[in-house]
C-alpha cells in the first residue's frame, strides 16, 4: 500500500490516459521509452568526468558542428529505446540528416513520430554545466503501415501531441506537456524513478531575467539591440539581470520557473538564428504556451511556422508574456 503522496511519472501518465477512453496507451509507452533512455543518459552524463567520454569525437554533425561523444551516446540510447519499444514509426534527430525509419514487426501499427535533440547544449559537457534532451511527439498523417513520408515529419508545431525536455542539472528533471499544462518530474535516484515535483507550472507573466548571447550584439538587428539596451537601462523599473548559460534547456528552465525572456535572434551571419525549429523551437514553444507564456520569431507564432526541411532554423523570442510583448514592441 502507498503510504505517501509521491506520484511517479508512470502513474501520472496512466491517470492522464484514463481520462481519454479512446487512448490505447501508445503515448504512455513512448514516455516509458524516453524515461528509460533518459536514465541511461543521465548515468552517462553523471560520470562524464570519470570515464573517457569527454571531448570532441573527431567528427562533425550534419550542420558542420563538433560532435561530442556524449551526443552520439545519447542519440543511440534514445533511438535504441524508442526502436525496441516499438511504439513509434520514425525518429528525426538533430544528430542525423535524414528520417530514421523504424521497420520492425513490432511497430507496424505505430502512428507516432519523434523529433529529438538527444543532447542539447553540448558545448557545456566539458565544463560540467547543465545540458538537456529535448523531444516532440507528432502523429503521422499518412496511413499506418505505409512508409513514413517527409510530409508526416514536417508538421507545424501546433500538431505536437506532446513535447518535453530532460535537464541534467543539479538534479535531473523531466518537464513535459501533452497539451494539458506543464508538469515536471524530478529523478529520485534512490528509487530510480521520476516523481512529480512541480505540478501545473505557470511561467510568471513578468520577470527580470533576459537571456541572450550579448557577445553577438553587433550582429543583431537594430530592434534586438534596442530591446537589449532597454533591458540594460530600463528607467521604469530596476534593470534586468542577464543570465545566459548557452544551454537552451538550462536557460529556458530557469526562466520557466522564475520568469524571464529567452532570445536567440537573427544575426548578420545567420538570418534565421541558430536554433532548429523541429528540435528546439517547437517543443519549447509548446511548453511555453502551455505554461502561459509566448513564443514567437518576432513576427510569427513559432507553433505556426511551416517547416520545409528537417534542420531548418528560426529566430526565437520566448518566455514571460509581458516581457515577450515588450520585446516585440521594439520591432
Ligand atoms: P547545440 O544543439 O549544438 O547544442 O546548440 C544549441 C545550443 C542551445 O542550447 C543554446 O541556446 C545555443 O546553442 C547557444 O548558442 P551560442 O553559443 O551561439 O549562444
Ligand atoms: Mg540542440
Amino acid at each position: 500500500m502507498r503510504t505517501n503522496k509521491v506520484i511517479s511519472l508512470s502513474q501520472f501518465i496512466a491517470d492522464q490516459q484514463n481520462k481519454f477512453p479512446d487512448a490505447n496507451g501508445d503515448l504512455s509507452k513512448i514516455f516509458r521509452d524516453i524515461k528509460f533512455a533518459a536514465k541511461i543518459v543521465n548515468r552517462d552524463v553523471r560520470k562524464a568526468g570519470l570515464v573517457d567520454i569527454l571531448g570532441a569525437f573527431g567528427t562533425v554533425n550534419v550542420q558542420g558542428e563538433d560532435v561530442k561523444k556524449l551526443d552520439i551516446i545519447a542519440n543511440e540510447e534514445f533511438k535504441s529505446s524508442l526502436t525496441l519499444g516499438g511504439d513509434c514509426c520514425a525518429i528525426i534527430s538533430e544528430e542525423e540528416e535524414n528520417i530514421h525509419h523504424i521497420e520492425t514487426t513490432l511497430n507496424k501499427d505505430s502512428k507516432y513520430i519523434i523529433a529529438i535533440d538527444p543532447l542539447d547544449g553540448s558545448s557545456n559537457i566539458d565544463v560540467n554545466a547543465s545540458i538537456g534532451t529535448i523531444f516532440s511527439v507528432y502523429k503521422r498523417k499518412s496511413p499506418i503501415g505505409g512508409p513514413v513520408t517527409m510530409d508526416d515529419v514536417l508538421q507545424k508545431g501546433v500538431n505536437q501531441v506532446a513535447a518535453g525536455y530532460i535537464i541534467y542539472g543539479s538534479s535531473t528533471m523531466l518537464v513535459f506537456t501533452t497539451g494539458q499544462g506543464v508538469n515536471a518530474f524530478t529523478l529520485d535516484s534512490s528509487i530510480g524513478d521520476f516523481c512529480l515535483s512541480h505540478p501545473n507550472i505557470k511561467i510568471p507573466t513578468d520577470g527580470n531575467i533576459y537571456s541572450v548571447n550579448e557577445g553577438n550584439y553587433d550582429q543583431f538587428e537594430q530592434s534586438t539591440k534596442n530591446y537589449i539596451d532597454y533591458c540594460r537601462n530600463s528607467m521604469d523599473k530596476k534593470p534586468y539581470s542577464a543570465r545566459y548559460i548557452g544551454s537552451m534547456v538550462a536557460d529556458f528552465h530557469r526562466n520557466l520557473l522564475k520568469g524571464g525572456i529567452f532570445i536567440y535572434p537573427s544575426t548578420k551571419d545567420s538570418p534565421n538564428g541558430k536554433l532548429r525549429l523541429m528540435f528546439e523551437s517547437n517543443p519549447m514553444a509548446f511548453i511555453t504556451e502551455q505554461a502561459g507564456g509566448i513564443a514567437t520569431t518576432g513576427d510569427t507564432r513559432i507553433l505556426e511556422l511551416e517547416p520545409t526541411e528537417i534542420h531548418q532554423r528560426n529566430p526565437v523570442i520566448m518566455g514571460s508574456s509581458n516581457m515577450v510583448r515588450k520585446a516585440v514592441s521594439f520591432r
Side-chain angles (χ1 to χ4, degrees):
M1 196 179 90
R2 299 267 295 274
T3 54
N4 58 32
K5 288 187 180 162
V6 174
I7 299 173
S8 72
L9 177 60
S10 314
Q11 183 63 51
F12 184 89
I13 290 181
D15 289 348
Q16 274 200 330
Q17 190 185 310
N18 289 339
K19 292 179 192 154
F20 297 93
D22 294 341
N24 65 2
D26 284 0
L27 191 58
S28 310
K29 291 182 198 152
I30 284 171
F31 271 97
R32 173 201 63 196
D33 300 339
I34 288 174
K35 184 177 85 169
F36 182 74
K39 287 199 249 179
I40 306 259
V41 172
N42 178 63
R43 183 200 62 194
D44 292 341
V45 167
R46 297 296 169 205
K47 64 182 185 184
L50 296 172
V51 293
D52 184 26
I53 51 177
L54 285 174
F57 194 46
T59 58
V60 290
N61 71 12
V62 291
Q63 280 124 23
E65 299 152 328
D66 277 348
V67 171
K68 309 281 179 173
K69 277 188 181 179
L70 267 178
D71 301 55
I72 293 175
I73 293 167
N75 192 39
E76 293 305 323
E77 288 301 344
F78 279 99
K79 267 171 51 184
S80 154
S81 184
L82 288 160
T83 303
L84 287 171
D87 293 291
C88 62
C89 52
I91 300 170
I92 55 169
S93 164
E94 194 192 283
E95 294 297 337
E96 301 195 17
E97 193 159 358
N98 298 312
I99 302 173
H100 174 72
H101 295 270
I102 299 174
E103 287 157 358
T104 64
T105 47
L106 269 177
N107 79 346
K108 63 183 187 310
D109 295 330
S110 302
K111 57 178 177 282
Y112 290 115
I113 293 169
I114 314 295
I116 191 153
D117 182 351
L119 210 56
D120 183 67
S122 49
S123 63
N124 284 288
I125 295 170
D126 287 351
V127 295
N128 206 0
S130 298
I131 45 181
T133 297
I134 311 173
F135 62 91
S136 285
V137 183
Y138 294 85
K139 263 186 206 161
R140 64 184 298 173
K141 292 175 172 173
S142 62
I144 289 169
V148 173
T149 65
M150 211 37 119
D151 204 34
D152 290 323
V153 165
L154 295 179
Q155 296 193 46
K156 287 183 181 181
V158 283
N159 291 350
Q160 289 171 103
V161 174
Y165 60 84
I166 298 123
I167 178 166
Y168 310 100
S170 46
S171 61
T172 298
M173 289 177 73
L174 195 157
V175 181
F176 78 95
T177 183
T178 53
Q180 298 173 292
V182 180
N183 292 282
F185 295 75
T186 302
L187 181 61
D188 181 339
S189 52
S190 67
I191 59 170
D193 212 346
F194 287 92
C195 301
L196 182 61
S197 53
H198 298 63
N200 196 21
I201 296 174
K202 292 293 171 207
I203 184 168
T205 48
D206 243 313
N208 70 348
I209 293 172
Y210 71 105
S211 310
V212 60
N213 187 343
E214 289 189 62
N216 295 332
Y217 183 91
D218 289 341
Q219 288 254 335
F220 293 156
E221 291 170 355
Q222 193 55 48
S223 57
T224 309
K225 289 181 182 171
N226 291 345
Y227 177 65
I228 292 172
D229 294 346
Y230 164 82
C231 291
R232 289 169 171 171
N233 304 311
S234 174
M235 299 299 288
D236 51 2
K237 64 183 290 187
K238 182 174 165 287
Y240 296 153
S241 290
R243 294 282 184 274
Y244 190 74
I245 296 171
S247 177
M248 186 189 197
V249 172
D251 282 312
F252 179 94
H253 185 71
R254 180 201 51 243
N255 292 359
L256 177 68
L257 297 183
K258 295 194 163 194
I261 186 168
F262 175 88
I263 303 176
Y264 206 108
S266 62
T267 63
K268 281 183 196 142
D269 290 343
S270 307
N272 290 320
K274 176 181 183 188
L275 301 177
R276 293 96 174 148
L277 177 61
M278 299 306 295
F279 304 112
E280 289 149 340
S281 310
N282 269 339
M284 294 313 212
F286 190 19
I287 295 167
T288 300
E289 289 197 4
Q290 282 294 314
I294 297 176
T296 172
T297 64
D299 300 318
T300 310
R301 181 185 175 207
I302 287 173
L303 295 181
E304 294 285 358
L305 290 173
E306 189 78 63
T308 54
E309 51 178 310
I310 293 176
H311 292 281
Q312 88 186 54
R313 300 168 193 259
N314 64 280
V316 169
I317 306 174
M318 59 172 61
S320 295
S321 52
N322 284 347
M323 296 185 81
V324 174
R325 280 194 199 99
K326 186 76 185 175
V328 171
S329 75
F330 281 80
R331 295 178 63 84

